[in-house]
CSV table of all heavy atoms in Angstrom, one decimal:
chain,number,residue,atom,x,y,z
A,1,ARG,N,8.9,-9.8,1.8
A,1,ARG,CA,8.5,-9.3,3.1
A,1,ARG,C,9.5,-8.2,3.6
A,1,ARG,O,10.7,-8.5,3.6
A,1,ARG,CB,8.3,-10.4,4.1
A,1,ARG,CG,7.8,-10.0,5.4
A,1,ARG,CD,7.6,-11.2,6.3
A,1,ARG,NE,7.2,-10.8,7.7
A,1,ARG,CZ,6.0,-10.7,8.1
A,1,ARG,NH1,5.0,-10.8,7.3
A,1,ARG,NH2,5.7,-10.4,9.4
A,2,GLY,N,8.9,-7.1,4.0
A,2,GLY,CA,9.8,-6.0,4.6
A,2,GLY,C,10.2,-5.0,3.6
A,2,GLY,O,10.7,-4.0,4.0
A,3,ASP,N,10.1,-5.2,2.3
A,3,ASP,CA,10.5,-4.3,1.3
A,3,ASP,C,9.6,-3.1,1.4
A,3,ASP,O,8.3,-3.2,1.7
A,3,ASP,CB,10.5,-4.8,-0.1
A,3,ASP,CG,11.6,-5.7,-0.4
A,3,ASP,OD1,12.6,-5.8,0.5
A,3,ASP,OD2,11.6,-6.4,-1.4
A,4,LEU,N,10.0,-1.9,1.1
A,4,LEU,CA,9.3,-0.7,1.1
A,4,LEU,C,8.9,-0.3,-0.3
A,4,LEU,O,9.7,-0.3,-1.3
A,4,LEU,CB,10.1,0.5,1.7
A,4,LEU,CG,10.7,0.2,3.1
A,4,LEU,CD1,11.4,1.4,3.6
A,4,LEU,CD2,9.5,-0.1,4.1
A,5,VAL,N,7.6,0.1,-0.5
A,5,VAL,CA,7.1,0.5,-1.8
A,5,VAL,C,6.8,2.1,-1.7
A,5,VAL,O,6.1,2.5,-0.9
A,5,VAL,CB,5.8,-0.3,-2.2
A,5,VAL,CG1,5.4,0.2,-3.6
A,5,VAL,CG2,6.1,-1.7,-2.1
A,6,PHE,N,7.5,2.8,-2.7
A,6,PHE,CA,7.3,4.2,-2.7
A,6,PHE,C,6.5,4.8,-3.8
A,6,PHE,O,6.6,4.3,-5.0
A,6,PHE,CB,8.7,4.9,-2.7
A,6,PHE,CG,9.5,4.7,-1.4
A,6,PHE,CD1,10.4,3.7,-1.3
A,6,PHE,CD2,9.3,5.5,-0.3
A,6,PHE,CE1,11.1,3.5,-0.2
A,6,PHE,CE2,10.1,5.4,0.8
A,6,PHE,CZ,11.0,4.3,0.9
A,7,TRP,N,5.7,5.7,-3.5
A,7,TRP,CA,5.0,6.6,-4.5
A,7,TRP,C,5.5,8.0,-4.2
A,7,TRP,O,6.0,8.3,-3.2
A,7,TRP,CB,3.5,6.5,-4.4
A,7,TRP,CG,2.9,5.2,-4.8
A,7,TRP,CD1,2.3,4.9,-6.0
A,7,TRP,CD2,2.7,4.0,-4.0
A,7,TRP,NE1,1.8,3.6,-6.0
A,7,TRP,CE2,2.1,3.0,-4.8
A,7,TRP,CE3,3.1,3.7,-2.7
A,7,TRP,CZ2,1.8,1.8,-4.3
A,7,TRP,CZ3,2.8,2.4,-2.2
A,7,TRP,CH2,2.1,1.5,-3.0
A,8,LYS,N,5.2,8.9,-5.1
A,8,LYS,CA,5.6,10.3,-4.8
A,8,LYS,C,4.6,10.8,-3.7
A,8,LYS,O,3.4,11.2,-4.0
A,8,LYS,CB,5.4,11.2,-6.1
A,8,LYS,CG,5.9,12.7,-5.8
A,8,LYS,CD,5.8,13.4,-7.1
A,8,LYS,CE,6.2,14.9,-6.9
A,8,LYS,NZ,7.6,15.1,-6.3
A,9,GLY,N,5.1,10.9,-2.4
A,9,GLY,CA,4.4,11.3,-1.3
A,9,GLY,C,3.7,10.2,-0.5
A,9,GLY,O,3.0,10.5,0.4
A,10,HIS,N,4.1,9.0,-0.8
A,10,HIS,CA,3.5,7.9,0.0
A,10,HIS,C,4.4,6.7,0.1
A,10,HIS,O,5.3,6.6,-0.8
A,10,HIS,CB,2.2,7.4,-0.6
A,10,HIS,CG,1.4,6.4,0.3
A,10,HIS,ND1,0.9,6.7,1.5
A,10,HIS,CD2,1.0,5.1,0.0
A,10,HIS,CE1,0.3,5.7,2.0
A,10,HIS,NE2,0.3,4.7,1.1
A,11,VAL,N,4.3,5.9,1.2
A,11,VAL,CA,5.1,4.7,1.3
A,11,VAL,C,4.3,3.7,2.1
A,11,VAL,O,3.5,3.9,2.9
A,11,VAL,CB,6.5,5.0,2.1
A,11,VAL,CG1,6.2,5.5,3.5
A,11,VAL,CG2,7.4,3.8,2.1
A,12,GLY,N,4.5,2.4,1.7
A,12,GLY,CA,4.0,1.3,2.4
A,12,GLY,C,5.0,0.2,2.5
A,12,GLY,O,6.1,0.3,1.9
A,13,MET,N,4.7,-0.9,3.3
A,13,MET,CA,5.6,-2.0,3.5
A,13,MET,C,4.9,-3.3,3.1
A,13,MET,O,3.8,-3.6,3.4
A,13,MET,CB,5.9,-2.0,5.0
A,13,MET,CG,6.9,-3.1,5.4
A,13,MET,SD,7.3,-3.0,7.2
A,13,MET,CE,8.5,-1.6,7.2
A,14,LEU,N,5.7,-4.1,2.4
A,14,LEU,CA,5.2,-5.4,1.9
A,14,LEU,C,5.2,-6.4,3.0
A,14,LEU,O,6.2,-6.6,3.7
A,14,LEU,CB,6.0,-5.9,0.7
A,14,LEU,CG,5.9,-5.2,-0.6
A,14,LEU,CD1,6.8,-5.8,-1.6
A,14,LEU,CD2,4.4,-5.2,-1.1
A,15,MET,N,4.0,-7.0,3.3
A,15,MET,CA,3.9,-8.1,4.2
A,15,MET,C,4.3,-9.4,3.5
A,15,MET,O,4.9,-10.3,4.2
A,15,MET,CB,2.5,-8.3,4.8
A,15,MET,CG,2.1,-7.0,5.6
A,15,MET,SD,0.4,-7.2,6.1
A,15,MET,CE,0.5,-8.5,7.3
A,16,ASP,N,4.0,-9.5,2.3
A,16,ASP,CA,4.5,-10.5,1.4
A,16,ASP,C,4.4,-9.9,0.0
A,16,ASP,O,4.0,-8.8,-0.2
A,16,ASP,CB,3.7,-11.9,1.5
A,16,ASP,CG,2.2,-11.7,1.4
A,16,ASP,OD1,1.8,-11.0,0.4
A,16,ASP,OD2,1.5,-12.1,2.3
A,17,THR,N,4.6,-10.7,-1.1
A,17,THR,CA,4.6,-10.2,-2.4
A,17,THR,C,3.3,-9.6,-2.8
A,17,THR,O,3.1,-8.8,-3.8
A,17,THR,CB,5.1,-11.2,-3.5
A,17,THR,OG1,4.3,-12.4,-3.3
A,17,THR,CG2,6.6,-11.5,-3.2
A,18,ASP,N,2.2,-10.1,-2.2
A,18,ASP,CA,0.8,-9.8,-2.6
A,18,ASP,C,0.1,-8.9,-1.6
A,18,ASP,O,-1.1,-8.5,-1.9
A,18,ASP,CB,0.0,-11.0,-2.8
A,18,ASP,CG,0.6,-12.0,-3.8
A,18,ASP,OD1,1.0,-11.5,-4.9
A,18,ASP,OD2,0.6,-13.2,-3.6
A,19,THR,N,0.7,-8.5,-0.5
A,19,THR,CA,0.0,-7.8,0.6
A,19,THR,C,0.8,-6.6,1.1
A,19,THR,O,2.0,-6.7,1.4
A,19,THR,CB,-0.2,-8.7,1.8
A,19,THR,OG1,-0.8,-10.0,1.3
A,19,THR,CG2,-1.3,-8.1,2.7
A,20,LEU,N,0.1,-5.5,1.2
A,20,LEU,CA,0.7,-4.2,1.6
A,20,LEU,C,0.1,-3.8,2.9
A,20,LEU,O,-1.1,-3.8,3.1
A,20,LEU,CB,0.5,-3.1,0.6
A,20,LEU,CG,1.2,-1.8,0.8
A,20,LEU,CD1,2.6,-1.9,0.4
A,20,LEU,CD2,0.5,-0.7,-0.1
A,21,ILE,N,0.9,-3.3,3.9
A,21,ILE,CA,0.5,-2.6,5.1
A,21,ILE,C,0.9,-1.1,5.0
A,21,ILE,O,2.1,-0.9,4.7
A,21,ILE,CB,0.9,-3.3,6.3
A,21,ILE,CG1,0.4,-2.6,7.6
A,21,ILE,CG2,2.5,-3.4,6.4
A,21,ILE,CD1,0.6,-3.4,8.9
A,22,HIS,N,0.0,-0.3,5.2
A,22,HIS,CA,0.4,1.2,5.2
A,22,HIS,C,-0.7,2.0,6.0
A,22,HIS,O,-1.8,1.7,6.1
A,22,HIS,CB,0.5,1.7,3.7
A,22,HIS,CG,-0.7,1.5,2.9
A,22,HIS,ND1,-1.0,2.3,1.8
A,22,HIS,CD2,-1.7,0.6,2.9
A,22,HIS,CE1,-2.1,1.9,1.2
A,22,HIS,NE2,-2.6,0.9,1.9
A,23,ALA,N,-0.2,3.1,6.5
A,23,ALA,CA,-1.1,4.1,7.0
A,23,ALA,C,-1.5,5.0,5.9
A,23,ALA,O,-0.7,5.5,5.2
A,23,ALA,CB,-0.4,4.9,8.1
A,24,ASN,N,-2.8,5.2,5.7
A,24,ASN,CA,-3.3,5.9,4.6
A,24,ASN,C,-4.6,6.6,4.8
A,24,ASN,O,-5.4,6.2,5.6
A,24,ASN,CB,-3.4,4.9,3.3
A,24,ASN,CG,-4.4,3.8,3.5
A,24,ASN,OD1,-5.6,4.1,3.2
A,24,ASN,ND2,-4.1,2.7,4.2
A,25,ALA,N,-4.8,7.6,4.0
A,25,ALA,CA,-6.0,8.5,4.1
A,25,ALA,C,-7.2,7.8,3.5
A,25,ALA,O,-8.4,8.3,3.8
A,25,ALA,CB,-5.8,9.9,3.5
A,26,HIS,N,-7.0,6.9,2.6
A,26,HIS,CA,-8.2,6.1,2.1
A,26,HIS,C,-9.0,5.4,3.2
A,26,HIS,O,-10.2,5.5,3.3
A,26,HIS,CB,-7.8,5.2,1.0
A,26,HIS,CG,-8.9,4.3,0.4
A,26,HIS,ND1,-9.8,4.9,-0.4
A,26,HIS,CD2,-9.2,3.0,0.6
A,26,HIS,CE1,-10.7,3.9,-0.8
A,26,HIS,NE2,-10.3,2.8,-0.2
A,27,HIS,N,-8.3,4.7,4.0
A,27,HIS,CA,-8.9,4.0,5.2
A,27,HIS,C,-8.9,4.9,6.4
A,27,HIS,O,-9.5,4.5,7.4
A,27,HIS,CB,-8.1,2.7,5.5
A,27,HIS,CG,-8.1,1.7,4.4
A,27,HIS,ND1,-7.1,1.6,3.5
A,27,HIS,CD2,-9.0,0.7,4.1
A,27,HIS,CE1,-7.4,0.6,2.6
A,27,HIS,NE2,-8.5,0.1,3.0
A,28,MET,N,-8.1,6.0,6.5
A,28,MET,CA,-7.9,6.8,7.6
A,28,MET,C,-7.4,6.0,8.8
A,28,MET,O,-7.8,6.2,10.0
A,28,MET,CB,-9.2,7.6,8.0
A,28,MET,CG,-9.5,8.8,7.0
A,28,MET,SD,-8.1,10.0,6.9
A,28,MET,CE,-8.1,10.7,8.5
A,29,ALA,N,-6.5,5.1,8.5
A,29,ALA,CA,-6.0,4.1,9.5
A,29,ALA,C,-4.8,3.4,8.9
A,29,ALA,O,-4.6,3.4,7.7
A,29,ALA,CB,-7.1,3.2,9.9
A,30,VAL,N,-4.1,2.7,9.8
A,30,VAL,CA,-3.1,1.7,9.4
A,30,VAL,C,-4.0,0.5,8.9
A,30,VAL,O,-4.7,-0.1,9.6
A,30,VAL,CB,-2.2,1.2,10.5
A,30,VAL,CG1,-1.3,0.2,10.0
A,30,VAL,CG2,-1.4,2.5,11.0
A,31,ALA,N,-3.7,0.1,7.6
A,31,ALA,CA,-4.6,-1.0,7.0
A,31,ALA,C,-3.7,-1.9,6.3
A,31,ALA,O,-2.6,-1.6,5.8
A,31,ALA,CB,-5.7,-0.4,6.2
A,32,VAL,N,-4.3,-3.1,6.0
A,32,VAL,CA,-3.7,-4.2,5.2
A,32,VAL,C,-4.6,-4.3,4.0
A,32,VAL,O,-5.8,-4.4,4.2
A,32,VAL,CB,-3.5,-5.5,6.0
A,32,VAL,CG1,-3.1,-6.6,5.0
A,32,VAL,CG2,-2.5,-5.4,7.1
A,33,GLU,N,-4.0,-4.4,2.8
A,33,GLU,CA,-4.9,-4.7,1.7
A,33,GLU,C,-4.0,-5.3,0.6
A,33,GLU,O,-2.8,-5.3,0.6
A,33,GLU,CB,-5.5,-3.4,1.1
A,33,GLU,CG,-4.5,-2.3,0.7
A,33,GLU,CD,-5.2,-1.0,0.3
A,33,GLU,OE1,-6.2,-1.1,-0.5
A,33,GLU,OE2,-4.8,0.1,0.6
A,34,PRO,N,-4.7,-6.0,-0.4
A,34,PRO,CA,-3.9,-6.6,-1.5
A,34,PRO,C,-3.1,-5.5,-2.2
A,34,PRO,O,-3.6,-4.4,-2.5
A,34,PRO,CB,-5.1,-7.1,-2.4
A,34,PRO,CG,-6.2,-7.4,-1.5
A,34,PRO,CD,-6.2,-6.2,-0.5
A,35,PHE,N,-1.9,-5.9,-2.4
A,35,PHE,CA,-0.9,-5.0,-3.1
A,35,PHE,C,-1.4,-4.5,-4.5
A,35,PHE,O,-1.4,-3.2,-4.7
A,35,PHE,CB,0.4,-5.6,-3.2
A,35,PHE,CG,1.5,-4.7,-3.8
A,35,PHE,CD1,1.5,-3.3,-3.7
A,35,PHE,CD2,2.5,-5.3,-4.6
A,35,PHE,CE1,2.5,-2.6,-4.2
A,35,PHE,CE2,3.5,-4.5,-5.2
A,35,PHE,CZ,3.5,-3.1,-5.0
A,36,ALA,N,-2.0,-5.4,-5.2
A,36,ALA,CA,-2.4,-5.0,-6.6
A,36,ALA,C,-3.6,-4.0,-6.5
A,36,ALA,O,-3.7,-3.0,-7.3
A,36,ALA,CB,-2.9,-6.2,-7.4
A,37,GLU,N,-4.5,-4.2,-5.5
A,37,GLU,CA,-5.6,-3.2,-5.4
A,37,GLU,C,-5.1,-1.9,-4.9
A,37,GLU,O,-5.6,-0.8,-5.4
A,37,GLU,CB,-6.7,-3.8,-4.4
A,37,GLU,CG,-7.4,-5.0,-4.9
A,37,GLU,CD,-8.4,-5.6,-3.9
A,37,GLU,OE1,-8.8,-4.8,-3.0
A,37,GLU,OE2,-8.9,-6.6,-4.1
A,38,ALA,N,-4.3,-1.9,-3.9
A,38,ALA,CA,-3.7,-0.6,-3.5
A,38,ALA,C,-3.0,0.1,-4.6
A,38,ALA,O,-3.1,1.4,-4.7
A,38,ALA,CB,-2.8,-0.9,-2.3
A,39,ARG,N,-2.2,-0.6,-5.3
A,39,ARG,CA,-1.4,0.0,-6.4
A,39,ARG,C,-2.3,0.6,-7.4
A,39,ARG,O,-2.1,1.8,-7.9
A,39,ARG,CB,-0.5,-1.0,-7.0
A,39,ARG,CG,0.4,-0.5,-8.1
A,39,ARG,CD,1.4,-1.6,-8.6
A,39,ARG,NE,2.3,-1.0,-9.6
A,39,ARG,CZ,3.3,-1.8,-10.1
A,39,ARG,NH1,3.5,-3.0,-9.7
A,39,ARG,NH2,4.1,-1.2,-10.9
A,40,ALA,N,-3.4,0.0,-7.8
A,40,ALA,CA,-4.3,0.5,-8.8
A,40,ALA,C,-5.0,1.7,-8.3
A,40,ALA,O,-5.2,2.7,-9.1
A,40,ALA,CB,-5.3,-0.6,-9.3
A,41,ARG,N,-5.5,1.7,-7.1
A,41,ARG,CA,-6.2,2.8,-6.5
A,41,ARG,C,-5.3,4.0,-6.4
A,41,ARG,O,-5.7,5.1,-6.7
A,41,ARG,CB,-6.8,2.5,-5.2
A,41,ARG,CG,-7.6,3.6,-4.6
A,41,ARG,CD,-8.0,3.4,-3.1
A,41,ARG,NE,-6.9,3.5,-2.2
A,41,ARG,CZ,-6.4,2.5,-1.6
A,41,ARG,NH1,-6.8,1.3,-1.8
A,41,ARG,NH2,-5.3,2.8,-0.8
A,42,ILE,N,-4.1,3.8,-5.9
A,42,ILE,CA,-3.1,4.9,-5.7
A,42,ILE,C,-2.8,5.5,-7.0
A,42,ILE,O,-2.7,6.8,-7.1
A,42,ILE,CB,-1.9,4.4,-4.9
A,42,ILE,CG1,-2.4,4.1,-3.4
A,42,ILE,CG2,-0.8,5.4,-4.9
A,42,ILE,CD1,-1.3,3.4,-2.6
A,43,ALA,N,-2.6,4.7,-8.0
A,43,ALA,CA,-2.2,5.2,-9.3
A,43,ALA,C,-3.3,6.1,-9.9
A,43,ALA,O,-3.0,7.1,-10.5
A,43,ALA,CB,-1.8,4.1,-10.3
A,44,ALA,N,-4.5,5.6,-9.7
A,44,ALA,CA,-5.7,6.3,-10.3
A,44,ALA,C,-6.2,7.6,-9.6
A,44,ALA,O,-6.5,8.6,-10.2
A,44,ALA,CB,-6.9,5.3,-10.4
A,45,ARG,N,-6.0,7.5,-8.3
A,45,ARG,CA,-6.6,8.6,-7.4
A,45,ARG,C,-5.7,9.5,-6.6
A,45,ARG,O,-6.1,10.6,-6.2
A,45,ARG,CB,-7.6,8.0,-6.5
A,45,ARG,CG,-8.8,7.2,-7.2
A,45,ARG,CD,-9.7,6.6,-6.2
A,45,ARG,NE,-10.1,7.5,-5.1
A,45,ARG,CZ,-10.7,7.1,-4.0
A,45,ARG,NH1,-11.0,5.8,-3.8
A,45,ARG,NH2,-11.1,8.0,-3.1
């Protein structure tokens, strides 16, 4: 919890090992989502 996850041009914060909170253009809002799902979508798109 509290660790930061970086991509090239993006950052989110872990709520726990399985959950990410981040402001993002996919949701056009600050949103919480499963880390694995966010990671797969961000990598692909």
Side-chain angles (χ1 to χ4, degrees):
R1 181 179 176 88
D3 286 350
L4 305 179
V5 184
F6 292 95
W7 292 261
K8 186 175 176 58
H10 188 59
V11 61
M13 180 177 285
L14 290 176
M15 298 176 67
D16 54 49
T17 56
D18 300 318
T19 313
L20 186 76
I21 182 168
H22 58 150
N24 65 91
H26 177 74
H27 296 94
M28 285 305 292
V30 176
V32 170
E33 59 181 319
F35 179 35
E37 291 182 15
R39 182 175 187 174
R41 184 190 71 251
I42 291 169
R45 297 176 50 189

